[in-house]
């Protein structure tokens, strides 16, 4: 609801300064005051206007296209900052580029004095998104400002006044579609561009050393169309065909009759028919063949006037008829629009709305010396009667002139004249003619000839871009006979398709849903500027060697990335988002994940790209193992317990050792640092059946000699999700500390308690004195048993050590003689769990976070009999006595006994142990503790 009494001053923002000036001139009737803003390119126009039912002061200013840009956050902006695959999950942010900061300052200053904001940006997707950028900037300094949207298709008095009277709310759905497209284009383009540029520059250093090898989900299918046509021409095999022609020369004209069979590809068959035509008269009547007229028909023939002009047709016709490329065409059209000479040039509509006054538009053009008489003729014949198409975007009318001018020059004048002549032509009448068809028979072979007489040129008089020529033939009567001047059998060859013109390419992009009418020209310009394609002398597209190699390389991987399917699906989803029929975030997640999988497969198959390009660029250099490892994609091990993104294995900065990190760094600092005793660690394909959320992949470890007890193997596979007791002890996995903002993780963090905030790793290790047992602490209500869970909150705001049961732990002292005699440790108060923690281990007691609870959650471990006799029970992971079974299957282990879980198969834990091995479950961990002590 508009609070009209509270609105005294209104800020209006247009998309460009020219538009702001034109709108202000109309609204103020030329009585506006101009003053400077912070940006010297974007002026401020002030005037009084009757709006919201009252007189208000209006400040009209502008932006210069998009005010904000989308970029990765700082840690991901440099090309070598991360593996390109991480860009699919990296955090992005909108920011104001330096070149537009002055515009932003102007908006912030002006809106503080206003009670309402009216968006006058272009009424399309991009314009709506720019409008919301303006809204975000303004609301950041004045949250309570009222926001309205003006809808208009041309900068004319009627259109602007109508927009003022019908202000609405901005459409967030349309803006969301642009947000999705921008983020996807950034993620997809940056990841593929970095990958192929860094790789190919190393493999082909002499050719591509300094070249940016960009990728875009629109530009690549556009390149694919050019390559596909070129390869079709290369693969084309011409075929020889044969046909019979008949010519009749009279005193007035020479008439060519075409064969009804058209052509034959068999020489013998055609020769036989030709000889029949020639010999039947010679044998029977000893004279040359005669042709008999079997039919003479006459019917009206029309050449249709053009449809109203939409953006795609404007680009195609300007390219074909005026030889102005699509990029230049749209640039000129935008300028003509902001000058108020034509309607909005970005439209999908080819139907004139019923409320558009076409008569007044035609009247404006009667003063021109070239097409003025034709415009006058339209009015005299009853007014404009346009031929309408079938498309409407429900936003803008077809492109048409809105004001007459004779002061333009160069391509601006040529394009304006074309738009005017096209408008007058479609408001006129079809060209009318009379077509005559003559059919003849020679030895039962049928031939025909056509003649055309133009009765009324109509639209052709004002539209020189179309041709329709008359063709005169003599008068023939049915049943008459004549002697042909010549009967010949001629041959020819089929010809390949031609290379694509720009108009052809735009047609294919529109047909397959690649880009929009507003972006076709940009995508074409991109593949030209990247040298993926070139132009022949007659302005047809020819793929370059780099373009050919890229398309062939990616297509050989099986994804056909040069085909339009992937992008066309995205464009369809963006349309649904703009209509409010699909959720922005759902579409974004789906397409990010889809392109991420394509990227991962493309990197795995990268050698196919090298091979394809080596055909055109010469011998490819071999990648060193170090280079391959640098580009190798880290596969996810598990989901991060803090932010649910993937966690992957990474090398430490100094190259020695590995750690498990969340791909959401730096916003998420969750990391699992492996001690120096771990020489190698890699992801195993096996998945832990216990840990959640699935899948949690097991890891394959290789340890230093001497770092494990003598009876333990140096290579083992285990789960770091918390269920593997052996790894918990070896790696000292205790708990996960929350992710706070901090510096990049150190290259060699201290060992022990590795899954924690990276900042705390760099703090000095403090050895606090033993603490007395607290007497008045309340237990924590609930504790998560997973070693990946975040800390429970501290009770009472002080340090409390809590056992696995969620109870306050007690402090005991080692009495037994040995290196730990007198050392204090925490233990479960009730004995219900096997919680254990040394008091003097600061990294296990929350150093760097004094409000965090020192907490060592571990699932209950199975009891293991370690008596002196052989009767000790073997327990499975469920803490149940294991059963002994015998291998019955043929093989090396047939007859061998083993221990396993006693439960039914579908309920069994993963416990397994050969009966003839000395170490029952839990012994490893027990011996490892003894060995460390």
């Amino acid at each position: 609801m508009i609070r009209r009494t509270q609105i005294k001053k209104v800020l209006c923002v247009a998309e460009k300064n020219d538009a702001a000036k034109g709108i202000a001139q109309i609204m103020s009737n030329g009585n506006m005051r101009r003053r400077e803003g912070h940006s010297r390119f974007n002026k401020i126009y002030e005037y009084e206007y009757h709006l919201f039912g009252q007189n208000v002061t209006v400040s009209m200013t502008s932006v210069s296209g998009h005010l904000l840009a989308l970029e990765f956050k700082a840690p991901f902006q440099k090309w070598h900052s991360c593996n390109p695959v991480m860009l699919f999950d990296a955090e992005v942010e909108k920011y104001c580029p330096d070149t537009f900061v002055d515009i932003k300052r102007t908006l912030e200053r002006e809106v503080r004095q206003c009670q309402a904001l009216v968006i006058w940006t272009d009424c399309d997707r991009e314009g709506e998104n720019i409008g919301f950028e303006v809204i975000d900037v303004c609301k950041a300094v004045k949250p309570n400002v009222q926001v309205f949207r003006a809808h208009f298709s041309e900068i004319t008095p009627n259109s602007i006044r109508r927009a003022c009277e019908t202000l609405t709310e901005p459409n967030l759905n349309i803006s969301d579609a642009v947000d999705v497209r921008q983020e996807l284009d950034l993620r997809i383009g940056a990841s593929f561009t970095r990958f192929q540029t860094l790789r190919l520059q190393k493999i082909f250093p002499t050719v591509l050393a300094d070249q940016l090898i960009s990728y875009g989900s629109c530009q690549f299918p556009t390149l694919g169309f050019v390559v596909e046509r070129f390869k079709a021409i290369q693969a084309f095999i011409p075929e020889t065909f044969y046909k019979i022609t008949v010519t009749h020369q009279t005193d007035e004209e020479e008439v060519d009759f075409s064969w009804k069979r058209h052509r034959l590809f068999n020489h013998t068959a055609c020769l036989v028919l030709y000889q029949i035509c020639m010999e039947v008269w010679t044998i029977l009547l000893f004279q040359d063949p005669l042709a008999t007229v079997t039919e003479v028909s006459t019917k009206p023939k029309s050449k249709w006037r053009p449809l109203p002009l939409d953006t795609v047709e404007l680009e195609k016709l300007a390219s074909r008829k005026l030889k102005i490329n699509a990029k230049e065409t749209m640039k000129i059209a935008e300028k003509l629009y902001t000058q108020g000479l034509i309607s909005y040039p970005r439209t999908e509509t080819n139907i004139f709305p019923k409320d558009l006054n076409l008569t007044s538009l035609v009247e404006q053009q009667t003063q021109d010396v070239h097409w003025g008489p034709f415009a006058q003729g339209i009015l005299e014949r009853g007014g404009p009667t346009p031929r309408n198409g079938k498309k409407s975007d429900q936003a803008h009318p077809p492109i048409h002139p809105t004001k007459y001018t004779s002061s333009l020059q160069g391509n601006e004048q040529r394009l304006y004249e074309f738009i005017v002549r096209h408008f007058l032509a479609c408001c006129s009448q079809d060209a009318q003619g009379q077509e005559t068809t003559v059919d003849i028979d020679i030895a039962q072979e049928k031939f025909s000839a056509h003649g055309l007489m133009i009765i009324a040129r109509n639209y052709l008089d004002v539209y020189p871009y179309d041709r329709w020529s008359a063709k005169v033939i003599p008068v023939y009567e049915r049943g008459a006979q004549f002697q042909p001047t010549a009967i010949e059998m001629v041959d020819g060859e089929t010809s390949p398709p031609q290379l694509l013109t720009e108009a052809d390419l735009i047609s294919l992009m529109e047909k397959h849903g690649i880009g929009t009418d507003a972006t076709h020209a940009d995508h074409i310009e991109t593949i030209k500027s990247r040298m993926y394609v070139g132009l022949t002398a007659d302005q047809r597209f020819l793929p370059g060697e780099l373009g050919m190699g890229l398309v062939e390389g990616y297509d050989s991987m099986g994804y056909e990335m040069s085909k339009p399917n992937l992008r066309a699906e995205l464009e369809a989803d963006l349309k649904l988002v703009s209509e409010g029929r699909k959720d922005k975030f759902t579409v974004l997640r789906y397409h990010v994940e889809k392109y991420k999988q394509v990227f991962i497969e493309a990197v795995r198959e990268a050698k196919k790209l090298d091979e394809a390009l080596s055909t055109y660029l010469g011998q490819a250099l071999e990648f060193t193992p170090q280079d391959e490892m640098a580009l190798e994609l880290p596969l996810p091990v598990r989901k991060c317990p803090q932010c649910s993104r993937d966690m992957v294995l990474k090398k430490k900065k100094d190259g020695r050792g590995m750690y498990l990190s969340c791909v959401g760094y730096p916003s998420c600092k969750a990391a699992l640092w492996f001690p120096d005793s771990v020489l190698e660690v890699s992801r195993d394909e096996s998945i832990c059946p216990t840990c959640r959320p699935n899948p949690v992949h097991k890891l394959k470890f290789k340890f230093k000699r001497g770092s494990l007890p003598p009876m333990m193997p140096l290579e083992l596979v285990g789960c770091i999700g918390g269920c593997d007791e052996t790894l918990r002890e070896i790696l000292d996995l205790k708990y996960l500390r929350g992710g706070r903002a901090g510096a990049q993780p150190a290259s060699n963090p201290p060992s022990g308690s590795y899954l924690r905030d990276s900042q705390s790793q760099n703090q000095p290790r403090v050895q606090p004195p033993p603490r007395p047992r607290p007497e008045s602490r309340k237990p924590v209500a609930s504790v998560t048993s997973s070693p990946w869970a975040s800390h429970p909150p501290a009770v009472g705001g002080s340090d409390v050590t809590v056992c696995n049961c969620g109870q306050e732990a007690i402090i005991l002292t080692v009495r037994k003689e040995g290196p730990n005699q007198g050392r204090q440790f925490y233990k479960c108060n009730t004995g219900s769990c096997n919680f254990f923690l040394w008091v003097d281990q600061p990294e296990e007691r929350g150093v760097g976070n004094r409000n965090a609870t020192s907490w060592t959650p571990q699932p209950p471990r199975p009891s293991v009999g370690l008596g002196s006799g052989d009767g000790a029970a073997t327990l499975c992971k469920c803490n149940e006595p294991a059963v002994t079974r015998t291998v019955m299957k043929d093989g090396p282990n047939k007859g061998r006994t083993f221990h396993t879980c006693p439960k039914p198969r579908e309920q069994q834990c993963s416990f397994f142990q050969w009966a003839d091995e000395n170490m029952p479950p839990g012994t490893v961990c027990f011996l490892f503790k003894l060995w460390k002590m």
Side-chain angles (χ1 to χ4, degrees), residues 45-268:
Y45 307 95
E46 285 190 335
Y47 48 91
E48 306 301 318
Y49 193 79
H50 192 77
L51 197 63
F52 308 127
Q54 60 189 347
N55 291 328
V56 298
T57 300
V58 177
S59 294
M60 170 69 75
T61 187
S62 65
V63 291
S64 296
H66 278 283
L67 179 62
L68 306 178
L70 191 69
E71 183 55 279
F72 295 107
K73 287 197 172 179
F76 300 96
Q77 289 178 8
K78 294 183 179 179
W79 276 50
H80 294 276
S81 62
C82 65
N83 191 302
V85 73
M86 296 180 68
L87 299 178
F88 285 99
D89 300 295
E91 283 193 280
V92 295
E93 60 184 353
K94 278 199 171 186
Y95 72 101
C96 183
D98 294 341
T99 51
F100 298 144
V101 168
D102 286 341
I103 299 175
K104 179 172 176 282
R105 289 174 58 206
T106 298
L107 295 176
E108 291 170 339
R109 182 188 70 189
E110 295 298 318
V111 78
R112 285 188 175 97
Q113 309 165 35
C114 300
Q115 294 79 44
L117 170 67
V118 181
I119 302 299
W120 286 86
T121 52
D122 293 346
C123 296
D124 58 8
R125 281 190 196 171
E126 295 299 320
E128 206 72 16
N129 189 257
I130 294 169
F132 272 93
E133 292 173 358
V134 172
I135 293 168
D136 291 342
V137 167
C138 291
K139 284 214 164 194
V141 297
K142 188 157 189 177
N144 62 339
V145 67
Q146 297 182 67
V147 180
F148 304 95
R149 178 67 158 109
H151 291 275
F152 60 104
S153 297
E154 55 195 49
I155 304 178
T156 59
N158 288 339
S159 180
I160 297 303
R161 292 189 183 107
R162 192 184 310 116
C164 291
E165 294 166 1
T166 57
L167 295 176
T168 62
E169 292 184 1
N171 190 322
L172 183 60
N173 292 328
I174 295 176
S175 178
D176 282 347
V178 178
D179 284 339
V180 173
R181 194 261 309 155
Q182 285 180 338
E183 185 168 337
L184 283 171
D185 285 350
L186 175 65
R187 294 187 185 280
I188 297 165
S191 55
F192 276 95
T193 298
R194 289 189 193 182
F195 156 66
Q196 61 190 28
T197 300
L198 295 175
R199 181 181 185 91
L200 298 178
Q201 281 181 348
K202 287 185 177 181
I203 291 180
F204 303 100
T206 56
V207 183
L208 304 176
D210 301 316
Q211 185 161 345
L212 174 70
I213 309 166
S214 69
Y215 177 93
S217 56
C218 273
Q219 75 179 57
F220 212 67
T222 304
L223 169 62
F225 291 133
V226 177
V227 172
E228 185 177 30
R229 176 60 61 89
F230 178 76
K231 292 172 77 72
I233 295 171
Q234 281 189 318
F236 185 83
I237 300 175
E239 292 184 82
T240 303
F241 62 82
Y242 309 90
K243 63 180 180 179
I244 302 172
T245 64
V246 175
T247 304
H248 183 213
Q249 179 73 51
T250 67
D251 295 337
E252 301 171 355
E253 300 289 341
E254 181 178 274
V255 183
D256 293 320
F257 289 86
S258 57
W259 194 17
K260 286 287 186 79
R261 294 183 189 268
H262 186 45
R263 62 188 181 186
L264 297 178
F265 289 92
N266 187 296
H267 178 270
T268 303

Side-chain angles (χ1 to χ4, degrees), residues 721-723 728 734-735 782-790 803-805 855-860:
C723 67
R728 267 213 319 254
K734 297 297 186 211
Y735 51 78
S782 62
V783 178
T784 305
S785 62
S786 168
W788 295 82
S790 300
C803 71
N804 295 340
C805 307
W855 182 51
T856 313
Q858 295 178 354

Side-chain angles (χ1 to χ4, degrees), residues 734-915:
K734 297 297 186 211
Y735 51 78
L736 171 67
R737 187 166 313 204
R740 299 176 299 159
Q744 176 77 19
S747 58
N748 260 324
S751 55
S753 299
Y754 296 94
L755 191 56
R756 61 187 63 192
D757 182 347
S758 62
Q759 186 179 32
S760 66
Q761 298 289 346
N762 299 323
Q763 296 184 357
R765 297 170 66 105
V766 181
Q767 298 290 341
R771 295 181 300 173
R773 176 184 172 186
E775 298 295 336
S776 58
R777 302 286 188 253
K778 294 180 180 180
V780 175
S782 62
V783 178
T784 305
S785 62
S786 168
W788 295 82
S790 300
H791 286 292
V795 180
S798 60
D799 279 341
V800 178
T801 300
V802 181
C803 71
N804 295 340
C805 307
Q807 303 295 322
E808 182 181 330
I810 61 173
I811 297 178
L812 299 176
T813 303
V814 178
R815 305 294 184 189
K816 185 179 179 181
E817 291 186 3
N820 290 312
Q821 186 174 14
R823 193 175 179 188
Q824 291 185 316
F825 60 92
Y826 290 104
K827 184 180 181 299
C828 177
N829 192 14
T830 62
S832 302
C833 67
N834 59 349
F835 174 75
F836 178 90
L837 177 67
W838 292 113
V839 170
D840 57 2
Q841 283 188 345
E843 70 276 12
E844 298 176 1
R845 295 183 54 231
V847 174
N849 186 3
R850 301 303 300 165
N851 291 327
T853 303
S854 297
W855 182 51
T856 313
Q858 295 178 354
R861 304 177 187 175
S863 301
V864 180
L866 290 175
S868 57
D870 293 335
T874 299
L875 303 183
C876 70
K877 293 182 180 180
C878 308
N879 216 19
E880 298 285 341
V883 295
T884 303
R885 304 189 189 282
T886 304
V887 177
M888 306 302 293
K889 187 177 180 180
D890 289 337
N893 289 315
K894 185 175 182 180
R896 193 176 179 187
T897 57
F898 60 91
H899 302 303
T900 187
C901 180
K903 294 180 180 179
R905 181 177 297 273
E906 62 274 5
Q907 301 175 14
Q908 283 182 348
C909 64
S910 58
F911 171 72
F912 176 90
Q913 181 188 331
W914 293 111

Side-chain angles (χ1 to χ4, degrees), residues 331 382 443:
K331 181 179 177 182

